[in-house]
């Protein structure tokens, strides 16, 4: 049996149609959906209609559960709650009846499918760390486990050691002495730096897993949102522009039929010979003018390149929506996920973000420390512009205090400054106001804080191997503060390896 496994379509009809067309070409026997057909996207009814017609098996997602009145939306952040309320109004009783009858778990001969995690599928926990993966591995017996929910494709593998480790999405074949958790990613709402639609093909007989990533018509998605009067405030995905890098090569023209049936006025006849003589002289002058214009444009381009200098670039281009404790909280109170660096489809450490001030003289990549650890490597040959590594923003309230910790490794030739700072944003997540710095800490190479007392996300970066630590606790968040963001921000020459950032509420 060959299964196409999809998840988290989230009302994105353009992405779903692209995936469905690709599946049709791959001799698939069954389609399995891991939930969250609706929510976030502008076309929930249209997507649900197509999924009902084409998908063979499906489990319930948390957004589906809210629409079906099987779960409260109280755990959602404000934006997700507004969109699920809007979605409920777009769907009728047939949609609620269908979704309410969906199971939480699908079991195959040696595989199992859920939306969130396997230890308690009704709670919709995330599987984003090896520790969370182990809980799921321990809860069920199957060798192969499929999930979605986090919108980030990836793999957790556990062998004879009993210790799971994370891998970037990649094709593989099952090995008898290993077990696997496969996150199939999101069809319609990717949260990583790769905006494409993800799905997985599982060949049961061959024991093979293949990941597919498809570009879809994002402008059709944008147009659908506009028709429903939804913008970036409601759908943050609209802030991205996968086609934005394609500059127009010609002025836009309207190629629709002319509304006028015939021209007005007298029908004029012209002599062919006379016209050809005039046009020959005209084209000579146009050719000369074109050459002159080309030289001027080329000169202007050279001047612009020389004058423009640096070009900033960010990975991913836009920040993700702010995190709430309801969305993510690690087993040790860490309000941020562990750093997970991916290279498939281009560098990404989302939800953490890297901003290079000069992409010609600064670079970022994933670097492997050992079999289980991958970190961010930033290289800079100029100390005149900033490099920023920043956490996702975290919702907070006035008076909140946070312990903030980060670990980095500087190379021997490092010169410059790269402190850890905490910024607070006033206003609201929707109507942002001013930003101000509430704490700055430098990295030091000798601390008394033992590794086992660190958040799990920052363990295994020992001082004896050159890793430095910055740690501090903020004062109470000032009145009006709604978000905090942690930044490693500075100007330097040399290389820096970043192990991660952790934030715990005090």
């Amino acid at each position: 049996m060959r299964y196409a496994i999809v998840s988290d379509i989230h009302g994105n009809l353009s992405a779903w149609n692209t995936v469905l067309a690709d599946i049709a070409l791959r001799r698939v026997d069954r389609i399995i959906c891991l939930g969250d057909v609706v929510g976030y996207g502008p076309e929930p009814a249209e997507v649900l209609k197509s999924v009902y017609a084409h998908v063979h098996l499906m489990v319930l997602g948390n957004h589906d559960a809210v629409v079906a009145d099987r779960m409260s939306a109280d755990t959602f952040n404000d934006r997700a709650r507004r969109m699920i309320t809007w979605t409920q109004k777009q769907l009728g009783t047939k949609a609620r009846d269908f979704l309410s009858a969906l199971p939480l778990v699908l079991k195959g001969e040696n595989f199992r499918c859920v939306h969130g995690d396997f230890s308690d599928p009704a709670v919709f926990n995330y599987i984003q760390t090896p520790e969370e993966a182990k809980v799921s591995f321990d809860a069920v017996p199957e060798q192969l486990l499929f999930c979605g929910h986090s919108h980030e494709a990836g793999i957790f593998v556990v062998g004879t050691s009993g210790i799971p480790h994370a891998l970037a999405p990649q094709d593989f074949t099952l090995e008898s002495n290993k077990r696997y958790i496969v996150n199939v990613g999101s069809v319609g709402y990717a949260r990583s730096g790769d905006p494409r639609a993800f799905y997985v093909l599982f060949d049961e007989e061959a024991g093979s897993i293949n990941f597919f990533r498809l570009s879809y018509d994002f402008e059709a998605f944008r147009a659908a949102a506009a028709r429903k009067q939804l913008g970036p405030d409601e759908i943050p995905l609209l802030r991205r522009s996968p086609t934005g890098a394609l500059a127009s090569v010609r002025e836009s023209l309207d190629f629709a039929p002319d509304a006028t049936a015939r021209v007005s006025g007298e029908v004029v006849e012209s002599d062919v010979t006379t016209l050809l003589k005039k046009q020959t002289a005209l084209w000579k002058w146009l050719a000369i003018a074109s050459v002159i214009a080309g030289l001027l444009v080329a000169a202007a381009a050279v001047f612009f390149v020389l004058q423009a200098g640096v070009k900033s670039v960010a990975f991913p281009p836009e920040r993700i929506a702010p995190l709430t404790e309801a969305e993510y909280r690690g087993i040790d109170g860490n309000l941020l996920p562990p750093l997970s660096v991916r290279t498939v489809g281009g560098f990404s450490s989302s939800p953490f973000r890297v901003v290079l001030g000069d992409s010609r003289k600064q670079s970022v990549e994933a670097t492997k420390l050992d079999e289980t650890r991958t970190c961010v490597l930033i290289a800079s040959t100029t100390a005149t512009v900033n490099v920023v590594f920043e956490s996702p923003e975290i919702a907070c309230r006035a008076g909140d205090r946070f312990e903030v910790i980060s670990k980095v490794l500087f190379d021997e030739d490092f010169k410059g400054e790269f402190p850890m700072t905490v910024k607070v944003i006033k206003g609201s997540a929707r109507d942002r106001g001013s930003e101000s710095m509430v704490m700055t800490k430098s990295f030091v190479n000798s601390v008394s804080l033992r590794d086992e007392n660190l958040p799990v996300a920052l363990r295994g970066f020992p001082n004896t191997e050159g890793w430095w630590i910055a740690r501090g606790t903020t004062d109470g968040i000032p009145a009006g503060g709604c978000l905090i963001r942690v930044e490693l921000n500075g100007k330097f020459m040399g290389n820096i390896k970043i192990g991660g950032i952790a934030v715990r509420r005090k």
Side-chain angles (χ1 to χ4, degrees):
M1 190 75 70
R2 286 165 60 86
Y3 296 94
I5 305 180
V6 303
S7 188
D8 295 278
I9 304 169
H10 280 298
N12 186 337
L13 185 63
S14 179
W16 169 239
N17 283 340
T18 298
V19 168
L20 195 60
D22 195 71
I23 289 173
L25 301 175
R26 299 192 183 276
R27 298 183 294 107
V28 167
D29 299 303
R30 297 287 187 271
I31 303 175
I32 296 176
C33 178
L34 303 185
D36 274 5
V37 175
V38 299
Y40 292 130
E43 297 178 285
E46 296 87 343
V47 168
L48 191 56
K49 178 181 178 180
S50 178
V51 167
Y52 182 83
H54 296 100
V55 170
H56 300 81
L57 302 164
M58 182 174 163
V59 298
L60 186 73
N62 55 312
H63 286 254
D64 309 323
V66 172
V67 169
D69 294 325
R70 291 179 60 182
M71 180 179 174
S72 170
D74 290 346
T75 59
F76 287 14
N77 63 44
D78 290 343
R79 181 182 292 111
R81 189 162 50 248
R82 290 196 302 271
M83 279 304 296
I84 203 66
T85 300
W86 178 88
T87 298
Q88 286 174 312
K89 296 176 181 178
Q90 313 303 307
L91 300 171
T93 56
K94 289 182 180 179
R96 288 190 288 275
D97 291 344
F98 169 64
L99 294 174
S100 65
L102 292 175
L104 288 167
V105 181
L106 289 172
K107 294 171 61 178
E109 184 174 343
N110 195 27
F111 69 93
R112 182 181 292 244
C113 301
V114 300
H115 182 65
D117 89 323
F118 295 83
S119 64
D120 194 350
V123 177
F124 301 109
N125 289 320
Y126 290 93
I127 305 176
Q128 294 181 302
T129 68
E131 293 76 19
E132 292 164 344
K134 188 176 189 308
V135 173
S136 281
F137 277 128
D138 292 343
V140 293
E142 287 83 4
Q143 180 186 17
L144 183 58
L145 309 176
F146 292 103
C147 66
H149 195 31
S150 71
H151 297 203
E152 294 193 4
I155 307 164
F156 286 99
V157 184
V158 64
T160 55
S161 70
I163 302 174
H165 62 276
L167 296 174
Q170 57 193 275
D171 299 343
F172 68 94
T173 301
L174 300 178
E175 299 179 32
S176 59
N177 62 339
K178 294 180 179 178
R179 298 178 68 202
Y180 307 84
I181 294 175
V182 176
N183 190 313
V184 303
S186 172
V187 170
Y189 206 100
R191 283 181 180 151
S192 65
D194 190 336
R196 292 176 290 180
F198 279 66
Y199 81 95
V200 159
L201 181 62
F202 168 40
D203 190 320
E204 196 172 23
E205 183 177 349
S208 62
I209 307 292
N210 297 95
F211 285 84
F212 294 93
R213 310 157 183 81
L214 306 174
S215 298
Y216 62 91
D217 188 348
F218 192 85
E219 294 310 310
F221 173 75
R222 192 191 301 278
R227 288 195 298 272
K228 301 294 179 70
Q229 297 182 326
L230 299 171
D233 287 340
E234 293 79 21
I235 309 177
L237 189 63
L238 293 172
R239 297 171 187 166
R240 305 181 188 177
S241 180
T243 59
L246 298 175
S248 299
V249 296
R250 298 181 184 87
E251 181 182 356
S252 176
L253 290 180
D254 184 1
F255 289 95
D258 196 332
T260 305
R262 58 175 284 138
V263 297
S264 60
E266 182 184 357
V267 176
V268 178
E269 295 181 356
S270 299
D271 183 82
V272 172
T273 303
T274 303
L275 284 177
L276 288 176
K277 287 181 179 179
K278 290 181 178 179
Q279 288 179 1
T280 301
L282 174 63
W283 281 109
K284 285 182 179 179
W285 282 108
L286 287 176
I288 295 171
S290 177
V291 171
I292 294 173
L295 291 173
L296 290 174
V297 169
V302 171
F303 177 79
F304 176 79
V305 170
L306 292 176
Q307 295 297 316
V310 301
K311 180 182 180 182
S312 178
V313 64
F315 305 91
E318 303 290 341
R319 296 188 180 108
I320 69 165
L323 300 179
T324 66
E325 284 192 67
E327 288 181 308
Y328 186 85
R329 184 168 184 171
I331 58 175
D332 53 1
N334 186 7
L335 299 176
L336 295 176
L339 179 59
S340 175
V341 191
R342 299 165 293 280
T343 56
V344 176
F347 171 85
S348 174
S349 57
S350 182
F352 295 91
R353 187 165 178 256
V354 179
V355 182
L356 305 178
D358 186 349
S359 59
R360 300 177 309 161
K361 297 181 179 180
Q362 294 166 338
S363 63
V364 61
E365 62 183 82
T367 182
K368 200 171 182 65
L369 298 176
D370 52 37
E371 289 302 315
T372 60
R373 295 183 300 171
T374 303
C375 66
V376 172
L377 170 63
I378 300 177
S380 176
T381 60
T382 177
T384 61
V385 291
N386 277 46
V387 171
V388 182
F389 178 84
E390 63 180 34
S391 76
E393 293 169 338
I394 302 171
C396 65
R397 299 175 297 273
D400 285 349
R401 298 170 68 245
F402 298 92
E403 179 191 40
V404 185
I405 310 173
S406 180
K407 278 211 165 186
V408 303
L409 189 151
F410 302 96
D411 71 2
E412 294 180 355
D413 298 325
F414 176 87
K415 296 180 181 179
E417 297 291 336
F418 200 62
M420 178 183 75
T421 63
V422 179
K423 293 183 177 179
V424 63
I425 298 95
K426 292 189 175 183
S428 68
R430 184 167 184 171
D431 300 313
R432 300 164 63 91
S434 61
E435 296 185 5
S436 59
M437 194 177 304
V438 294
M439 188 179 76
T440 299
K441 291 289 180 180
S442 298
F443 285 88
V444 295
N445 65 352
S446 178
V447 294
S448 59
L449 189 64
R450 300 173 63 180
D451 201 49
E452 58 266 31
N453 293 328
L454 289 172
V456 173
L458 294 180
R459 294 178 190 172
F461 303 102
N463 217 38
T464 54
E465 294 181 12
W467 287 89
W468 290 24
I469 190 168
R471 179 188 178 221
T473 300
T474 68
D475 294 330
I477 297 300
C482 69
L483 302 169
I484 64 165
R485 183 175 69 248
V486 184
E487 293 184 358
L488 311 183
N489 187 338
K491 300 175 182 178
F492 66 89
M493 294 180 66
N495 296 338
I496 292 177
K497 292 178 180 176
I498 299 173
I501 299 172
V503 176
R504 297 192 286 199
R505 194 178 296 277
K506 297 295 287 184

